[in-house]
Amino acid sequence: MKTVLVQGNFDLLHPGHIRLLKFAKECGEHLIVAVNTDRAMEVTSRLDQEHRLEMVRSLQCVDEALLTDLPPQKLVAQLQPSIVVKGKEFEGRLNQELDALNVYGGKLIFGSGEFDTGSELYVKRVRQIGQNFDFSELKLYAKRHQIKLKNLLTTFTKMSKLNVAVVGEVIVDEYVQGKAVGLSQEDPTIVMTPNQTDTFLGGAAITAGHIKSIGANKVTLFSVIGADAKSEYVKSNIHKYQVAPVLLADASRPTPLKTRYRADTKTLLRVNQVRHHKISEELQQQLFEGISLILNNVDVLIFSDFNYGVLPQSLVNKITKACKDNGVRLVADSQTSSQVGDISRYSDTLLVTPTEKEVRVALNNPDDGLVILAKKLCEKSNPKNLVITLAEEGVFIHIPGELPNQWQNDRIPAINKNAADPAGAGDCFLAASSLAMSAGASAWEAFYIASVASACQVDILGNKPLEQSILLQSIRESYR
């Protein structure tokens, strides 16, 4: 691993420091920052050494930070970094580190970073979950359905015994953050300079990650990825979600990659590198055989369908029949955004959670209201529970009855009134509600838990698995 060392006082952390450290990080793989102690500084600092160390550690680009009394040459001899980075102003001066670096072939690089780097992007942001939550409507919902806190908490205990299978497309989500520097002189195109890239595992992977993090016992993820660089990223990082992956390779398609180019808080462009063709019959059979092997030890199977060819209808039908034969509950989500899906092709499920657009596309119905849409979708595909997600407006709930006029409707408005990042709200709702219902919660209780889960998820920057402790804390807060 190529380590980079930067040493300094960092008396008052300013944008110049952040630019320098970002530049240093880009020179290697692991950035170590050595902060001089109060005793080692030639001048008296306005901040004590612990405060200065804490500020340096708050930067995303810093992998390791430490206090040191050592002069530069002794610190280099002790740590033996691959590279030492110093500001451009030190070039041409006497640099004591150089002799120590020459002993083992280390390098000294001078640079101060780019002046147009937005320093606020590189501070690790700590956000208090729940500061913008409004539980007033949720309290009324709980009263209508006689939802007790103790029952919700008991549900989490039961979740810990559940085994879950998730089937669908794994997607790599990239966020390229930069600065818009102006308009091209050749054509009316915005020119941006990228300065940070964040990468997350999305699609079926984040659904599986949520389920495991919220509290399931074991989660097995079935998917098909490409034979490319991004497939290596998936295989190297999926263990962080603590799921058991069954990942088949298909050289005829890339691993789905969605790259968003953002300037400040605005998305300028999204580039999708995907294929929509169906996986081969051979891969379908391999997936089905892998799923069949574990079905006798699975409580619920979730179709996380992004409509990039991993779940052809023939495979869905085979998996659905096998689940019914083994008494395994089914839950489905079928995405329709830049691609076209059909949620109605998943029949006899415990739950489906489409967006309003996805229902309208499935029914080819741009006209009817939510109640009629819900009834028609239930007539077509027969789910036991239907939730239509409405983004910032919350969710609409439809529970069909055995007879035509026995259905029940309700809604839960959005709890989070100021989302930090709306990505992943639907995936989190699906994960929490399906897990809760499989653990024995009523549908009304499950959607209570899932709505709080979604509110927590959009309060977190980046699409990451929701921690159970955060969800439980927020549920308890909703009853105060």
Side-chain angles (χ1 to χ4, degrees):
M1 181 170 61
K2 187 183 290 185
T3 58
V4 183
L5 173 66
V6 176
Q7 183 176 3
N9 295 332
F10 301 98
D11 182 21
L12 182 63
L13 194 66
H14 55 70
H17 287 137
I18 297 173
R19 295 168 189 167
L20 169 68
L21 294 177
K22 179 181 177 294
F23 169 77
K25 173 67 172 181
E26 292 170 348
C27 292
E29 299 169 300
H30 186 82
L31 175 59
I32 304 171
V33 180
V35 179
N36 293 325
T37 63
D38 294 340
R39 183 173 57 185
M41 291 178 61
E42 296 178 356
V43 296
T44 302
S45 174
R46 288 166 286 184
L47 301 172
D48 64 59
Q49 61 190 36
E50 295 297 336
H51 193 168
R52 291 184 286 116
L53 180 65
E54 182 181 351
M55 287 194 300
V56 169
R57 282 178 173 162
S58 73
L59 301 178
Q60 290 184 356
C61 58
V62 176
D63 298 299
E64 184 179 346
L66 53 90
L67 291 170
T68 184
D69 289 321
L70 297 176
Q73 66 273 27
K74 289 188 177 181
L75 183 64
V76 170
Q78 182 184 92
L79 298 180
Q80 295 198 347
S82 308
I83 297 168
V84 170
V85 170
K86 300 184 75 172
K88 197 72 174 174
E89 67 273 17
F90 289 94
E91 194 171 15
R93 299 187 192 178
L94 177 63
N95 293 284
Q96 300 174 348
E97 302 93 335
L98 197 54
D99 288 341
L101 286 165
N102 288 337
V103 170
Y104 60 89
K107 294 182 179 179
L108 180 60
I109 296 177
F110 301 98
S112 298
E114 297 296 325
F115 77 91
D116 61 350
T117 293
S119 59
E120 71 282 354
L121 297 174
Y122 303 101
V123 177
K124 295 173 184 173
R125 302 176 185 177
V126 178
R127 179 173 170 131
Q128 182 76 30
I129 302 295
Q131 283 185 326
N132 300 293
F133 289 4
D134 181 354
F135 292 121
S136 56
E137 291 285 344
L138 192 63
K139 290 178 184 293
L140 296 175
Y141 171 89
K143 186 176 181 179
R144 288 196 296 273
H145 300 289
Q146 300 180 331
I147 298 173
K148 306 298 182 184
L149 176 59
K150 65 177 182 179
N151 293 339
L152 299 182
L153 300 180
T154 299
T155 296
F156 283 87
T157 302
K158 295 178 180 178
M159 285 180 185
S160 64
K161 301 176 182 177
L162 295 177
N163 296 326
V164 182
V166 179
V167 190
E169 289 90 350
V170 172
I171 297 171
V172 177
D173 289 318
E174 281 187 345
Y175 292 79
V176 180
Q177 189 72 45
K179 285 285 183 182
V181 297
L183 202 63
S184 169
Q185 297 300 309
E186 291 79 19
D187 51 46
T189 303
I190 295 175
V191 179
M192 71 169 286
T193 301
N195 49 37
Q196 177 175 326
T197 300
D198 294 314
T199 307
F200 303 95
L201 285 178
I206 190 61
T207 299
H210 282 315
I211 291 169
K212 178 59 180 174
S213 187
I214 289 171
N217 176 46
K218 182 178 181 180
V219 181
T220 307
L221 171 63
F222 294 88
S223 190
V224 176
I225 55 179
D228 51 13
K230 290 304 176 185
S231 71
E232 296 303 317
Y233 175 85
V234 173
K235 288 184 280 188
S236 298
N237 288 273
I238 191 64
H239 71 278
K240 296 177 182 177
Y241 288 1
Q242 298 183 310
V243 303
V246 179
L247 303 173
L248 305 182
D250 182 358
S252 73
R253 67 180 65 238
T255 301
L257 171 64
K258 296 184 179 180
T259 306
R260 296 166 177 82
Y261 293 87
R262 293 172 59 84
D264 296 323
T265 60
K266 305 297 182 183
T267 298
L268 304 179
L269 175 69
R270 191 176 89 177
V271 179
N272 290 355
Q273 298 182 46
V274 299
R275 295 289 185 275
H276 294 82
H277 65 271
K278 298 175 183 177
I279 59 174
S280 67
E281 291 186 2
E282 180 183 0
L283 284 172
Q284 291 182 47
Q285 185 61 27
Q286 289 179 30
L287 268 183
F288 179 71
E289 289 174 357
I291 293 167
S292 298
L293 286 175
I294 68 166
L295 276 185
N296 62 352
N297 194 33
V298 170
D299 298 287
V300 57
L301 183 142
I302 296 175
F303 290 110
S304 183
D305 185 7
F306 286 78
N307 291 288
Y308 296 134
V310 169
L311 287 167
Q313 189 63 52
S314 57
L315 178 59
V316 169
N317 293 344
K318 288 176 68 175
I319 295 172
T320 298
K321 183 179 184 304
C323 286
K324 288 180 179 179
D325 292 343
N326 285 273
V328 177
R329 302 172 184 89
L330 284 168
V331 174
D333 189 31
S334 179
Q335 299 279 325
T336 296
S337 54
S338 56
Q339 70 279 47
V340 177
D342 182 4
I343 189 63
S344 68
R345 73 190 185 99
Y346 293 97
S347 59
D348 301 320
T349 58
L350 173 68
L351 171 67
V352 290
T353 60
T355 65
E356 180 179 353
K357 176 184 177 181
E358 288 160 0
V359 179
R360 293 191 184 281
V361 169
L363 298 175
N364 190 25
N365 187 330
D367 302 315
D368 289 330
L370 289 176
V371 174
I372 303 302
L373 280 176
K375 290 178 65 178
K376 288 183 176 179
L377 181 60
C378 289
E379 290 168 1
K380 185 174 182 181
S381 58
N382 193 37
K384 289 185 173 62
N385 302 278
L386 166 64
V387 174
I388 301 177
T389 59
L390 304 170
E392 66 276 2
E393 294 183 89
V395 297
F396 174 79
I397 301 164
H398 179 80
I399 301 179
E402 294 183 4
L403 298 175
N405 295 321
Q406 286 185 334
W407 45 264
Q408 300 177 74
N409 294 330
D410 207 335
R411 67 181 291 266
I412 303 177
I415 296 167
N416 193 333
K417 302 303 181 183
N418 185 21
D421 185 353
D427 299 326
C428 194
F429 188 98
L430 171 74
S433 56
S434 56
L435 197 56
M437 293 178 74
S438 298
S442 70
W444 307 115
E445 291 170 337
F447 302 144
Y448 187 107
I449 292 171
S451 292
V452 177
S454 295
C456 293
Q457 176 61 23
V458 299
D459 229 18
I460 301 169
L461 294 168
N463 197 2
K464 305 171 186 176
L466 176 63
E467 296 177 17
Q468 186 191 78
S469 58
I470 292 175
L471 176 54
L472 284 171
Q473 178 184 344
S474 298
I475 289 174
R476 290 189 178 99
E477 287 289 335
S478 71
Y479 273 84
R480 292 180 181 172

